[in-house]
């Protein structure tokens, strides 16, 4: 059907050898993580009951099923950098109306040992469930997220609505081009501060931030994307 996601899933298997844990002896990193936790709790702690973390495959399956029933979902990816081919996916941010915004951790590591953190889904598990998605997908700067998901999860998504392209159609001279800036200007009418990744985490890579802190920022991104879409569709 025109406008719906068309998905192709290619199963993959990886054999990984367990490495001995390496302890990171950096009081500087520890202090940065502590600062991040304090700032996130201060400004985004109010969303603790509104957002959730998905750590079980059946929970993701249920969320995807609900998205299909509503025929719409906002998706954002969190990565270790800005290269969709070389950088690793850290987690998936999802939001469906009438559901909690959720974060799906995939590749977080301990900032102490650099070992993969517990209570996460594997890339294969996320790939399997995401491959069942038929709902319309809302994104911001979709070309990045589509490439990340295709490269890392072997799932090809077709975006129904790209909020970045919509913003350029609405005002080609718009000086604000980032998701948070556009949401703050048009959805919140400038009444509330938005928090960017660089503002919150500075030089700490996303995969090093503990999931119980990071999910507040990440899940918030999915809601912000959907709310910007809701604003834009009135005019387009």
């Amino acid at each position: 059907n025109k406008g719906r996601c068309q998905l192709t899933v290619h199963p993959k298997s990886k054999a990984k050898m367990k490495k001995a844990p390496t302890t990171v002896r950096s009081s500087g990193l520890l202090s940065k993580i502590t600062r991040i936790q304090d700032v996130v709790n201060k400004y985004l702690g109010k969303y603790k009951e509104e957002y959730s973390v998905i750590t079980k495959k059946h929970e993701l399956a249920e969320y995807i099923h609900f998205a299909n029933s509503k025929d719409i979902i906002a998706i954002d990816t969190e990565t270790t950098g800005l290269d969709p081919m070389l950088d690793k996916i850290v987690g998936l941010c999802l939001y469906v109306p009438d559901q909690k915004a959720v974060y799906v951790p995939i590749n977080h590591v301990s900032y102490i040992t650099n070992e993969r953190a517990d209570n996460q889904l594997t890339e294969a598990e996320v790939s399997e469930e995401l491959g069942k998605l038929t709902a319309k997908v809302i994104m911001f700067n979709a070309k990045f997220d589509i490439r990340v998901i295709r490269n890392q999860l072997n799932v090809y998504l077709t975006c129904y609505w790209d909020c970045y392209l919509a913003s350029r159609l609405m005002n080609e001279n718009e000086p604000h081009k980032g998701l948070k800036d556009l949401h703050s200007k048009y959805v919140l009418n400038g009444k509330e501060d938005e928090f960017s990744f660089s503002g919150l985490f500075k030089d700490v890579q996303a995969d090093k931030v503990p999931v119980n802190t990071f999910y507040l920022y990440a899940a918030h991104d999915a809601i912000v994307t959907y709310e910007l879409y809701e604003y834009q569709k009135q005019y387009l």
Side-chain angles (χ1 to χ4, degrees):
N1 292 332
K2 187 176 181 180
R4 289 178 178 267
C5 297
Q6 296 178 357
L7 311 170
T8 304
V9 183
H10 302 286
K12 63 177 180 179
S13 61
K14 293 183 179 180
K16 295 184 178 180
M17 294 184 66
K18 183 82 170 177
K19 294 182 180 180
T22 302
T23 301
V24 177
R25 301 181 182 279
S26 173
S27 59
L29 180 58
L30 176 59
S31 65
K32 289 174 183 177
I33 295 294
T34 301
R35 176 191 59 80
I36 288 170
Q37 290 173 324
D38 290 341
V39 172
V40 169
N41 286 329
K42 179 179 180 180
Y43 292 105
L44 298 176
K46 60 186 177 182
Y47 298 116
K48 282 185 176 181
E49 300 303 317
E50 298 179 33
Y51 304 160
S52 185
V53 182
I54 286 181
T55 59
K56 304 295 182 184
K57 187 170 178 285
H58 72 87
E59 295 173 344
L60 181 57
E62 290 171 2
Y63 203 87
I64 295 297
H65 177 75
F66 190 83
N68 291 339
S69 70
K70 296 288 288 187
D71 196 29
I72 199 157
I73 187 172
I75 297 180
D76 185 42
T77 60
E78 300 296 344
T79 62
T80 56
L82 299 177
D83 189 319
M85 304 306 292
L86 298 179
D87 290 311
K88 181 174 287 190
I89 188 169
V90 177
L92 206 60
C93 320
L94 309 173
Y95 174 66
V96 177
D98 301 324
Q99 286 283 296
K100 287 185 176 182
V102 299
Y103 178 60
V104 185
I106 302 171
N107 283 312
H108 282 261
V109 299
S110 167
Y111 64 89
I112 298 174
T113 66
N114 272 331
E115 287 291 290
R116 188 173 187 276
D118 296 329
N119 296 319
Q120 300 186 87
L121 291 180
T122 65
E123 292 176 6
E125 289 173 327
V126 176
S127 175
E128 181 180 349
E129 298 308 325
L130 196 60
K132 300 173 184 176
L133 185 66
T134 60
K136 299 183 183 76
V137 174
I138 312 301
M139 291 177 166
F140 186 89
N141 191 25
K143 65 179 182 180
F144 177 83
D145 296 305
I146 287 172
R147 292 171 76 188
V148 168
I149 292 171
R150 177 68 178 267
N151 185 49
Q152 301 286 328
L153 303 178
N154 283 330
V155 176
Y156 180 69
L157 295 179
T158 300
C159 180
Y160 169 74
W161 189 287
D162 186 336
C163 292
Y164 173 75
L165 295 182
S167 73
R168 306 307 291 161
L169 289 171
M170 290 174 65
N171 180 3
E172 63 184 274
N173 298 310
E174 173 62 66
H176 301 289
K177 298 180 181 180
L179 170 62
K180 301 293 180 31
D181 290 333
L182 290 167
H183 181 266
S184 180
K185 178 178 179 179
Y186 292 107
V187 179
L188 302 178
N189 297 314
K191 294 179 181 178
E192 183 177 329
D193 290 332
E194 293 283 3
F195 303 97
S196 66
F197 181 89
S198 59
L200 281 176
F201 306 113
K202 298 202 173 178
D203 56 346
V204 177
Q205 202 164 264
D207 60 341
K208 298 290 198 304
V209 182
V211 173
N212 61 1
T213 295
F214 194 76
Y215 87 95
L216 290 170
Y217 167 85
H220 189 64
D221 267 3
I223 282 194
V224 166
T225 300
Y226 184 80
E227 289 179 347
L228 185 57
Y229 153 71
E230 285 277 278
Y231 171 83
Q232 292 173 336
K233 73 177 184 178
Q234 303 173 84
Y235 304 100
L236 296 173

